[in-house]
Amino acid sequence: MQTADFIQLLETYPKRNLSFEYAPGKYVRADYHVTEVKNVLIEATDCGGRQDSWKETVVQLWANPEGEEPNHRLTSSKVLDILKRVSSLQPLMKNTPVKIEYGDRDFHTAQLNITGHRLENNHLIVSLGVEHTTCKAKDRCGIPEVVGNNAQECAPGSGCC
C-alpha cells in the first residue's frame, strides 16, 4: 500500500479505533504509540553487482513494556493528526510504499507491509504481513526463478539459495 492510500484509509474511517494485526489473530497492543515516521531512501547493490534504489515510508509503533495504558487508544483521526504534524515538518513521500515497523517481547522487530484492512465493530483493523527475502541476482547466479515447496529442495547445499 502506498503512503497516500494509507492516509486515505485513515480519512475514510476517522472515528474508528485503529488496530494493527501483525500475524493472524495477533495484534499490536491497543495502547500503542506512533513513535516515529521515517522517509527512507534505500540504495542497494545485490550480490550480482546490480545497483538499485527506492524510497519507503516507515511508521514505527511502540507499546510500553511496563504495562498497558488503559486510557490511551488511537483512532484513525489521531494517527492522521500525527502524520499531518510530521508532514508539516518533514513532508511525507506519498507515492512510496508504507511499512509498519513493530516489535515487542513476543514478536521480533520487523518492517511489515500492509496487506489489507477490515472493519470490526468500532475498529479499523489493518492487516500486516512479511515480505520474504530473495536473491535479486538469480539470473546471474544460476538460481532458478521458481523454487519448489519441498523442504528438502531448500536444504543447505541444495542450490536453492
Side-chain angles (χ1 to χ4, degrees):
M1 176 178 282
Q2 299 291 89
T3 303
D5 299 327
F6 182 59
I7 291 169
Q8 178 63 47
L9 179 65
L10 299 177
E11 290 173 340
T12 302
Y13 303 103
K15 297 186 188 293
R16 301 283 181 133
N17 290 322
L18 183 60
S19 300
F20 292 91
E21 184 179 33
Y22 61 85
K26 296 188 182 260
Y27 297 85
V28 173
R29 219 172 58 208
D31 64 330
Y32 69 89
H33 294 255
V34 174
T35 57
E36 191 172 60
V37 180
K38 308 171 197 177
N39 285 329
V40 181
L41 168 62
I42 298 161
E43 294 178 333
T45 304
D46 67 28
C47 61
R50 184 177 2 201
Q51 294 182 309
D52 195 5
S53 66
W54 63 93
K55 296 177 181 178
E56 299 173 347
T57 302
V58 178
V59 177
Q60 185 183 73
L61 307 181
W62 174 77
N64 186 343
E66 299 303 317
E68 229 175 299
E69 301 173 49
N71 297 323
H72 182 79
R73 299 287 184 268
L74 293 181
T75 61
S76 296
S77 62
K78 179 63 178 167
V79 172
L80 189 58
D81 288 345
I82 293 168
L83 294 176
K84 286 178 182 177
R85 184 179 326 125
V86 167
S87 194
S88 73
L89 300 168
Q90 168 187 299
L92 294 177
M93 301 182 301
K94 294 185 178 174
N95 294 321
T96 62
V98 63
K99 294 191 176 190
I100 305 299
E101 184 175 76
Y102 178 70
D104 64 16
R105 293 178 189 172
D106 300 319
F107 182 73
H108 63 280
T109 300
Q111 290 182 358
L112 304 163
N113 296 317
I114 296 175
T115 59
H117 69 277
R118 66 185 185 278
L119 301 175
E120 284 184 13
N121 301 318
N122 192 36
H123 292 266
L124 169 59
I125 299 172
V126 175
S127 302
L128 307 174
V130 298
E131 182 178 318
H132 299 287
T133 60
T134 186
C135 177
K136 294 180 179 150
K138 290 181 182 102
D139 58 326
R140 286 174 278 154
C141 295
I143 297 172
E145 279 295 320
V146 178
V147 176
N149 292 330
N150 185 337
Q152 289 183 336
E153 291 177 25
C154 288
S158 69
C160 168
C161 47

PDB file of all heavy atoms in Angstrom, residues 16-47:
ATOM      1  N   ARG A  16     -12.888   5.544  13.945  1.00  0.00           N
ATOM      2  CA  ARG A  16     -12.650   4.145  14.336  1.00  0.00           C
ATOM      3  C   ARG A  16     -11.365   4.025  15.159  1.00  0.00           C
ATOM      4  O   ARG A  16     -10.391   4.717  14.910  1.00  0.00           O
ATOM      5  CB  ARG A  16     -12.499   3.255  13.094  1.00  0.00           C
ATOM      6  CG  ARG A  16     -13.673   3.252  12.163  1.00  0.00           C
ATOM      7  CD  ARG A  16     -14.797   2.404  12.702  1.00  0.00           C
ATOM      8  NE  ARG A  16     -15.910   2.399  11.784  1.00  0.00           N
ATOM      9  CZ  ARG A  16     -16.556   1.319  11.414  1.00  0.00           C
ATOM     10  NH1 ARG A  16     -16.221   0.151  11.888  1.00  0.00           N
ATOM     11  NH2 ARG A  16     -17.557   1.408  10.577  1.00  0.00           N
ATOM     12  N   ASN A  17     -11.377   3.121  16.126  1.00  0.00           N
ATOM     13  CA  ASN A  17     -10.135   2.755  16.808  1.00  0.00           C
ATOM     14  C   ASN A  17      -9.266   2.046  15.788  1.00  0.00           C
ATOM     15  O   ASN A  17      -9.752   1.178  15.054  1.00  0.00           O
ATOM     16  CB  ASN A  17     -10.417   1.830  17.990  1.00  0.00           C
ATOM     17  CG  ASN A  17     -11.115   2.552  19.126  1.00  0.00           C
ATOM     18  OD1 ASN A  17     -10.815   3.705  19.406  1.00  0.00           O
ATOM     19  ND2 ASN A  17     -12.058   1.882  19.761  1.00  0.00           N
ATOM     20  N   LEU A  18      -8.009   2.405  15.726  1.00  0.00           N
ATOM     21  CA  LEU A  18      -7.100   1.831  14.726  1.00  0.00           C
ATOM     22  C   LEU A  18      -6.291   0.712  15.358  1.00  0.00           C
ATOM     23  O   LEU A  18      -5.564   0.925  16.332  1.00  0.00           O
ATOM     24  CB  LEU A  18      -6.181   2.913  14.164  1.00  0.00           C
ATOM     25  CG  LEU A  18      -5.227   2.496  13.053  1.00  0.00           C
ATOM     26  CD1 LEU A  18      -5.995   1.962  11.834  1.00  0.00           C
ATOM     27  CD2 LEU A  18      -4.350   3.679  12.650  1.00  0.00           C
ATOM     28  N   SER A  19      -6.438  -0.491  14.811  1.00  0.00           N
ATOM     29  CA  SER A  19      -5.734  -1.666  15.311  1.00  0.00           C
ATOM     30  C   SER A  19      -4.867  -2.246  14.208  1.00  0.00           C
ATOM     31  O   SER A  19      -5.217  -2.166  13.026  1.00  0.00           O
ATOM     32  CB  SER A  19      -6.738  -2.737  15.775  1.00  0.00           C
ATOM     33  OG  SER A  19      -7.556  -2.236  16.803  1.00  0.00           O
ATOM     34  N   PHE A  20      -3.751  -2.862  14.604  1.00  0.00           N
ATOM     35  CA  PHE A  20      -2.839  -3.499  13.653  1.00  0.00           C
ATOM     36  C   PHE A  20      -2.701  -4.965  14.025  1.00  0.00           C
ATOM     37  O   PHE A  20      -2.369  -5.310  15.156  1.00  0.00           O
ATOM     38  CB  PHE A  20      -1.471  -2.819  13.686  1.00  0.00           C
ATOM     39  CG  PHE A  20      -1.487  -1.420  13.143  1.00  0.00           C
ATOM     40  CD1 PHE A  20      -1.699  -0.344  13.981  1.00  0.00           C
ATOM     41  CD2 PHE A  20      -1.291  -1.183  11.796  1.00  0.00           C
ATOM     42  CE1 PHE A  20      -1.723   0.955  13.485  1.00  0.00           C
ATOM     43  CE2 PHE A  20      -1.319   0.101  11.288  1.00  0.00           C
ATOM     44  CZ  PHE A  20      -1.533   1.175  12.139  1.00  0.00           C
ATOM     45  N   GLU A  21      -2.952  -5.835  13.042  1.00  0.00           N
ATOM     46  CA  GLU A  21      -2.823  -7.286  13.207  1.00  0.00           C
ATOM     47  C   GLU A  21      -1.535  -7.708  12.519  1.00  0.00           C
ATOM     48  O   GLU A  21      -1.447  -7.737  11.296  1.00  0.00           O
ATOM     49  CB  GLU A  21      -4.036  -7.989  12.585  1.00  0.00           C
ATOM     50  CG  GLU A  21      -4.040  -9.478  12.792  1.00  0.00           C
ATOM     51  CD  GLU A  21      -5.274 -10.133  12.193  1.00  0.00           C
ATOM     52  OE1 GLU A  21      -5.780  -9.644  11.153  1.00  0.00           O
ATOM     53  OE2 GLU A  21      -5.722 -11.142  12.760  1.00  0.00           O
ATOM     54  N   TYR A  22      -0.496  -8.047  13.314  1.00  0.00           N
ATOM     55  CA  TYR A  22       0.821  -8.345  12.739  1.00  0.00           C
ATOM     56  C   TYR A  22       0.990  -9.808  12.334  1.00  0.00           C
ATOM     57  O   TYR A  22       1.917 -10.143  11.598  1.00  0.00           O
ATOM     58  CB  TYR A  22       1.947  -7.897  13.670  1.00  0.00           C
ATOM     59  CG  TYR A  22       1.979  -8.546  15.024  1.00  0.00           C
ATOM     60  CD1 TYR A  22       2.612  -9.766  15.217  1.00  0.00           C
ATOM     61  CD2 TYR A  22       1.402  -7.923  16.124  1.00  0.00           C
ATOM     62  CE1 TYR A  22       2.659 -10.359  16.467  1.00  0.00           C
ATOM     63  CE2 TYR A  22       1.451  -8.501  17.377  1.00  0.00           C
ATOM     64  CZ  TYR A  22       2.084  -9.724  17.539  1.00  0.00           C
ATOM     65  OH  TYR A  22       2.121 -10.305  18.780  1.00  0.00           O
ATOM     66  N   ALA A  23       0.113 -10.673  12.802  1.00  0.00           N
ATOM     67  CA  ALA A  23       0.061 -12.084  12.402  1.00  0.00           C
ATOM     68  C   ALA A  23      -1.388 -12.509  12.639  1.00  0.00           C
ATOM     69  O   ALA A  23      -2.100 -11.860  13.409  1.00  0.00           O
ATOM     70  CB  ALA A  23       1.028 -12.918  13.236  1.00  0.00           C
ATOM     71  N   PRO A  24      -1.852 -13.565  12.000  1.00  0.00           N
ATOM     72  CA  PRO A  24      -3.246 -13.959  12.183  1.00  0.00           C
ATOM     73  C   PRO A  24      -3.618 -14.099  13.659  1.00  0.00           C
ATOM     74  O   PRO A  24      -3.005 -14.862  14.402  1.00  0.00           O
ATOM     75  CB  PRO A  24      -3.334 -15.299  11.444  1.00  0.00           C
ATOM     76  CG  PRO A  24      -2.268 -15.209  10.397  1.00  0.00           C
ATOM     77  CD  PRO A  24      -1.144 -14.444  11.055  1.00  0.00           C
ATOM     78  N   GLY A  25      -4.577 -13.270  14.101  1.00  0.00           N
ATOM     79  CA  GLY A  25      -5.045 -13.311  15.472  1.00  0.00           C
ATOM     80  C   GLY A  25      -4.138 -12.649  16.491  1.00  0.00           C
ATOM     81  O   GLY A  25      -4.408 -12.697  17.686  1.00  0.00           O
ATOM     82  N   LYS A  26      -3.050 -12.010  16.036  1.00  0.00           N
ATOM     83  CA  LYS A  26      -2.110 -11.348  16.955  1.00  0.00           C
ATOM     84  C   LYS A  26      -2.081  -9.857  16.629  1.00  0.00           C
ATOM     85  O   LYS A  26      -1.821  -9.477  15.484  1.00  0.00           O
ATOM     86  CB  LYS A  26      -0.719 -11.950  16.846  1.00  0.00           C
ATOM     87  CG  LYS A  26      -0.697 -13.407  17.278  1.00  0.00           C
ATOM     88  CD  LYS A  26       0.708 -13.926  17.359  1.00  0.00           C
ATOM     89  CE  LYS A  26       0.691 -15.381  17.728  1.00  0.00           C
ATOM     90  NZ  LYS A  26       0.961 -15.607  19.106  1.00  0.00           N
ATOM     91  N   TYR A  27      -2.325  -9.064  17.643  1.00  0.00           N
ATOM     92  CA  TYR A  27      -2.491  -7.625  17.454  1.00  0.00           C
ATOM     93  C   TYR A  27      -1.462  -6.829  18.246  1.00  0.00           C
ATOM     94  O   TYR A  27      -1.075  -7.234  19.348  1.00  0.00           O
ATOM     95  CB  TYR A  27      -3.890  -7.190  17.910  1.00  0.00           C
ATOM     96  CG  TYR A  27      -4.983  -7.817  17.102  1.00  0.00           C
ATOM     97  CD1 TYR A  27      -5.468  -9.075  17.426  1.00  0.00           C
ATOM     98  CD2 TYR A  27      -5.517  -7.160  16.003  1.00  0.00           C
ATOM     99  CE1 TYR A  27      -6.473  -9.672  16.682  1.00  0.00           C
ATOM    100  CE2 TYR A  27      -6.525  -7.744  15.244  1.00  0.00           C
ATOM    101  CZ  TYR A  27      -6.989  -8.997  15.597  1.00  0.00           C
ATOM    102  OH  TYR A  27      -7.978  -9.586  14.853  1.00  0.00           O
ATOM    103  N   VAL A  28      -1.065  -5.683  17.685  1.00  0.00           N
ATOM    104  CA  VAL A  28      -0.304  -4.714  18.447  1.00  0.00           C
ATOM    105  C   VAL A  28      -1.217  -4.293  19.588  1.00  0.00           C
ATOM    106  O   VAL A  28      -2.413  -4.068  19.379  1.00  0.00           O
ATOM    107  CB  VAL A  28       0.077  -3.502  17.560  1.00  0.00           C
ATOM    108  CG1 VAL A  28       0.731  -2.411  18.385  1.00  0.00           C
ATOM    109  CG2 VAL A  28       0.974  -3.942  16.406  1.00  0.00           C
ATOM    110  N   ARG A  29      -0.674  -4.233  20.790  1.00  0.00           N
ATOM    111  CA  ARG A  29      -1.493  -3.883  21.946  1.00  0.00           C
ATOM    112  C   ARG A  29      -2.261  -2.588  21.692  1.00  0.00           C
ATOM    113  O   ARG A  29      -1.745  -1.665  21.073  1.00  0.00           O
ATOM    114  CB  ARG A  29      -0.590  -3.747  23.176  1.00  0.00           C
ATOM    115  CG  ARG A  29      -1.222  -4.313  24.416  1.00  0.00           C
ATOM    116  CD  ARG A  29      -0.299  -4.363  25.593  1.00  0.00           C
ATOM    117  NE  ARG A  29       0.210  -3.046  25.915  1.00  0.00           N
ATOM    118  CZ  ARG A  29       1.378  -2.830  26.493  1.00  0.00           C
ATOM    119  NH1 ARG A  29       2.167  -3.836  26.803  1.00  0.00           N
ATOM    120  NH2 ARG A  29       1.775  -1.611  26.764  1.00  0.00           N
ATOM    121  N   ALA A  30      -3.473  -2.510  22.180  1.00  0.00           N
ATOM    122  CA  ALA A  30      -4.382  -1.403  21.872  1.00  0.00           C
ATOM    123  C   ALA A  30      -3.867  -0.047  22.331  1.00  0.00           C
ATOM    124  O   ALA A  30      -4.272   0.982  21.804  1.00  0.00           O
ATOM    125  CB  ALA A  30      -5.752  -1.672  22.493  1.00  0.00           C
ATOM    126  N   ASP A  31      -2.942  -0.006  23.274  1.00  0.00           N
ATOM    127  CA  ASP A  31      -2.441   1.266  23.792  1.00  0.00           C
ATOM    128  C   ASP A  31      -1.112   1.674  23.141  1.00  0.00           C
ATOM    129  O   ASP A  31      -0.336   2.421  23.725  1.00  0.00           O
ATOM    130  CB  ASP A  31      -2.288   1.196  25.309  1.00  0.00           C
ATOM    131  CG  ASP A  31      -1.239   0.185  25.756  1.00  0.00           C
ATOM    132  OD1 ASP A  31      -1.036  -0.821  25.035  1.00  0.00           O
ATOM    133  OD2 ASP A  31      -0.637   0.388  26.819  1.00  0.00           O
ATOM    134  N   TYR A  32      -0.875   1.222  21.921  1.00  0.00           N
ATOM    135  CA  TYR A  32       0.383   1.536  21.228  1.00  0.00           C
ATOM    136  C   TYR A  32       0.512   3.044  20.989  1.00  0.00           C
ATOM    137  O   TYR A  32      -0.446   3.805  21.048  1.00  0.00           O
ATOM    138  CB  TYR A  32       0.477   0.783  19.892  1.00  0.00           C
ATOM    139  CG  TYR A  32      -0.504   1.261  18.848  1.00  0.00           C
ATOM    140  CD1 TYR A  32      -0.165   2.299  17.987  1.00  0.00           C
ATOM    141  CD2 TYR A  32      -1.767   0.695  18.727  1.00  0.00           C
ATOM    142  CE1 TYR A  32      -1.068   2.754  17.033  1.00  0.00           C
ATOM    143  CE2 TYR A  32      -2.666   1.140  17.790  1.00  0.00           C
ATOM    144  CZ  TYR A  32      -2.321   2.174  16.945  1.00  0.00           C
ATOM    145  OH  TYR A  32      -3.205   2.635  16.017  1.00  0.00           O
ATOM    146  N   HIS A  33       1.733   3.450  20.706  1.00  0.00           N
ATOM    147  CA  HIS A  33       2.050   4.829  20.330  1.00  0.00           C
ATOM    148  C   HIS A  33       2.665   4.804  18.930  1.00  0.00           C
ATOM    149  O   HIS A  33       3.320   3.833  18.556  1.00  0.00           O
ATOM    150  CB  HIS A  33       3.093   5.433  21.274  1.00  0.00           C
ATOM    151  CG  HIS A  33       2.622   5.602  22.675  1.00  0.00           C
ATOM    152  ND1 HIS A  33       2.292   6.831  23.192  1.00  0.00           N
ATOM    153  CD2 HIS A  33       2.414   4.704  23.682  1.00  0.00           C
ATOM    154  CE1 HIS A  33       1.927   6.696  24.452  1.00  0.00           C
ATOM    155  NE2 HIS A  33       1.989   5.408  24.776  1.00  0.00           N
ATOM    156  N   VAL A  34       2.474   5.861  18.170  1.00  0.00           N
ATOM    157  CA  VAL A  34       3.230   6.080  16.931  1.00  0.00           C
ATOM    158  C   VAL A  34       4.437   6.884  17.366  1.00  0.00           C
ATOM    159  O   VAL A  34       4.308   8.037  17.784  1.00  0.00           O
ATOM    160  CB  VAL A  34       2.400   6.836  15.873  1.00  0.00           C
ATOM    161  CG1 VAL A  34       3.265   7.174  14.661  1.00  0.00           C
ATOM    162  CG2 VAL A  34       1.189   6.017  15.457  1.00  0.00           C
ATOM    163  N   THR A  35       5.617   6.276  17.318  1.00  0.00           N
ATOM    164  CA  THR A  35       6.801   6.921  17.877  1.00  0.00           C
ATOM    165  C   THR A  35       7.689   7.591  16.842  1.00  0.00           C
ATOM    166  O   THR A  35       8.505   8.438  17.200  1.00  0.00           O
ATOM    167  CB  THR A  35       7.664   5.909  18.655  1.00  0.00           C
ATOM    168  OG1 THR A  35       8.023   4.842  17.777  1.00  0.00           O
ATOM    169  CG2 THR A  35       6.896   5.365  19.837  1.00  0.00           C
ATOM    170  N   GLU A  36       7.536   7.211  15.595  1.00  0.00           N
ATOM    171  CA  GLU A  36       8.417   7.782  14.578  1.00  0.00           C
ATOM    172  C   GLU A  36       7.824   7.526  13.198  1.00  0.00           C
ATOM    173  O   GLU A  36       7.205   6.495  12.964  1.00  0.00           O
ATOM    174  CB  GLU A  36       9.796   7.115  14.683  1.00  0.00           C
ATOM    175  CG  GLU A  36      10.883   7.747  13.895  1.00  0.00           C
ATOM    176  CD  GLU A  36      12.241   7.140  14.229  1.00  0.00           C
ATOM    177  OE1 GLU A  36      12.430   5.926  14.035  1.00  0.00           O
ATOM    178  OE2 GLU A  36      13.112   7.907  14.681  1.00  0.00           O
ATOM    179  N   VAL A  37       8.020   8.489  12.317  1.00  0.00           N
ATOM    180  CA  VAL A  37       7.655   8.333  10.912  1.00  0.00           C
ATOM    181  C   VAL A  37       8.904   8.664  10.108  1.00  0.00           C
ATOM    182  O   VAL A  37       9.495   9.731  10.280  1.00  0.00           O
ATOM    183  CB  VAL A  37       6.478   9.250  10.516  1.00  0.00           C
ATOM    184  CG1 VAL A  37       6.131   9.068   9.048  1.00  0.00           C
ATOM    185  CG2 VAL A  37       5.256   8.973  11.394  1.00  0.00           C
ATOM    186  N   LYS A  38       9.305   7.742   9.269  1.00  0.00           N
ATOM    187  CA  LYS A  38      10.574   7.881   8.551  1.00  0.00           C
ATOM    188  C   LYS A  38      10.347   7.951   7.046  1.00  0.00           C
ATOM    189  O   LYS A  38       9.615   7.126   6.499  1.00  0.00           O
ATOM    190  CB  LYS A  38      11.484   6.677   8.822  1.00  0.00           C
ATOM    191  CG  LYS A  38      11.692   6.347  10.266  1.00  0.00           C
ATOM    192  CD  LYS A  38      12.431   5.018  10.397  1.00  0.00           C
ATOM    193  CE  LYS A  38      12.307   4.462  11.787  1.00  0.00           C
ATOM    194  NZ  LYS A  38      12.948   3.163  11.931  1.00  0.00           N
ATOM    195  N   ASN A  39      11.009   8.908   6.396  1.00  0.00           N
ATOM    196  CA  ASN A  39      11.169   8.890   4.949  1.00  0.00           C
ATOM    197  C   ASN A  39      12.488   8.170   4.710  1.00  0.00           C
ATOM    198  O   ASN A  39      13.534   8.615   5.190  1.00  0.00           O
ATOM    199  CB  ASN A  39      11.266  10.308   4.381  1.00  0.00           C
ATOM    200  CG  ASN A  39       9.937  11.013   4.337  1.00  0.00           C
ATOM    201  OD1 ASN A  39       8.898  10.399   4.172  1.00  0.00           O
ATOM    202  ND2 ASN A  39       9.967  12.326   4.480  1.00  0.00           N
ATOM    203  N   VAL A  40      12.446   7.065   4.009  1.00  0.00           N
ATOM    204  CA  VAL A  40      13.628   6.231   3.861  1.00  0.00           C
ATOM    205  C   VAL A  40      14.028   6.141   2.394  1.00  0.00           C
ATOM    206  O   VAL A  40      13.201   5.830   1.528  1.00  0.00           O
ATOM    207  CB  VAL A  40      13.363   4.807   4.409  1.00  0.00           C
ATOM    208  CG1 VAL A  40      14.597   3.932   4.276  1.00  0.00           C
ATOM    209  CG2 VAL A  40      12.898   4.866   5.862  1.00  0.00           C
ATOM    210  N   LEU A  41      15.297   6.409   2.117  1.00  0.00           N
ATOM    211  CA  LEU A  41      15.882   6.197   0.796  1.00  0.00           C
ATOM    212  C   LEU A  41      16.830   5.018   0.926  1.00  0.00           C
ATOM    213  O   LEU A  41      17.736   5.034   1.768  1.00  0.00           O
ATOM    214  CB  LEU A  41      16.651   7.425   0.310  1.00  0.00           C
ATOM    215  CG  LEU A  41      17.535   7.210  -0.929  1.00  0.00           C
ATOM    216  CD1 LEU A  41      16.692   6.807  -2.134  1.00  0.00           C
ATOM    217  CD2 LEU A  41      18.351   8.440  -1.219  1.00  0.00           C
ATOM    218  N   ILE A  42      16.597   4.008   0.124  1.00  0.00           N
ATOM    219  CA  ILE A  42      17.433   2.811   0.155  1.00  0.00           C
ATOM    220  C   ILE A  42      18.249   2.775  -1.131  1.00  0.00           C
ATOM    221  O   ILE A  42      17.700   2.863  -2.230  1.00  0.00           O
ATOM    222  CB  ILE A  42      16.570   1.543   0.296  1.00  0.00           C
ATOM    223  CG1 ILE A  42      15.821   1.608   1.623  1.00  0.00           C
ATOM    224  CG2 ILE A  42      17.425   0.283   0.191  1.00  0.00           C
ATOM    225  CD1 ILE A  42      14.648   0.719   1.735  1.00  0.00           C
ATOM    226  N   GLU A  43      19.548   2.665  -0.963  1.00  0.00           N
ATOM    227  CA  GLU A  43      20.461   2.464  -2.090  1.00  0.00           C
ATOM    228  C   GLU A  43      21.116   1.122  -1.862  1.00  0.00           C
ATOM    229  O   GLU A  43      21.756   0.912  -0.829  1.00  0.00           O
ATOM    230  CB  GLU A  43      21.485   3.596  -2.150  1.00  0.00           C
ATOM    231  CG  GLU A  43      20.831   4.931  -2.462  1.00  0.00           C
ATOM    232  CD  GLU A  43      21.813   6.086  -2.472  1.00  0.00           C
ATOM    233  OE1 GLU A  43      22.855   6.016  -1.784  1.00  0.00           O
ATOM    234  OE2 GLU A  43      21.525   7.060  -3.175  1.00  0.00           O
ATOM    235  N   ALA A  44      20.941   0.218  -2.801  1.00  0.00           N
ATOM    236  CA  ALA A  44      21.382  -1.155  -2.597  1.00  0.00           C
ATOM    237  C   ALA A  44      22.163  -1.661  -3.805  1.00  0.00           C
ATOM    238  O   ALA A  44      21.967  -1.201  -4.932  1.00  0.00           O
ATOM    239  CB  ALA A  44      20.173  -2.047  -2.350  1.00  0.00           C
ATOM    240  N   THR A  45      23.026  -2.626  -3.525  1.00  0.00           N
ATOM    241  CA  THR A  45      23.736  -3.348  -4.573  1.00  0.00           C
ATOM    242  C   THR A  45      23.572  -4.825  -4.261  1.00  0.00           C
ATOM    243  O   THR A  45      23.874  -5.264  -3.145  1.00  0.00           O
ATOM    244  CB  THR A  45      25.228  -2.983  -4.599  1.00  0.00           C
ATOM    245  OG1 THR A  45      25.356  -1.567  -4.750  1.00  0.00           O
ATOM    246  CG2 THR A  45      25.951  -3.688  -5.742  1.00  0.00           C
ATOM    247  N   ASP A  46      23.058  -5.603  -5.223  1.00  0.00           N
ATOM    248  CA  ASP A  46      22.855  -7.021  -4.957  1.00  0.00           C
ATOM    249  C   ASP A  46      24.157  -7.796  -5.168  1.00  0.00           C
ATOM    250  O   ASP A  46      25.168  -7.240  -5.591  1.00  0.00           O
ATOM    251  CB  ASP A  46      21.694  -7.580  -5.787  1.00  0.00           C
ATOM    252  CG  ASP A  46      21.941  -7.612  -7.281  1.00  0.00           C
ATOM    253  OD1 ASP A  46      23.109  -7.715  -7.716  1.00  0.00           O
ATOM    254  OD2 ASP A  46      20.958  -7.551  -8.037  1.00  0.00           O
ATOM    255  N   CYS A  47      24.107  -9.090  -4.872  1.00  0.00           N
ATOM    256  CA  CYS A  47      25.310  -9.930  -4.936  1.00  0.00           C
ATOM    257  C   CYS A  47      25.849 -10.060  -6.356  1.00  0.00           C
ATOM    258  O   CYS A  47      27.007 -10.431  -6.539  1.00  0.00           O
ATOM    259  CB  CYS A  47      25.027 -11.298  -4.336  1.00  0.00           C
ATOM    260  SG  CYS A  47      23.731 -12.224  -5.203  1.00  0.00           S
TER     261      CYS A  47
END
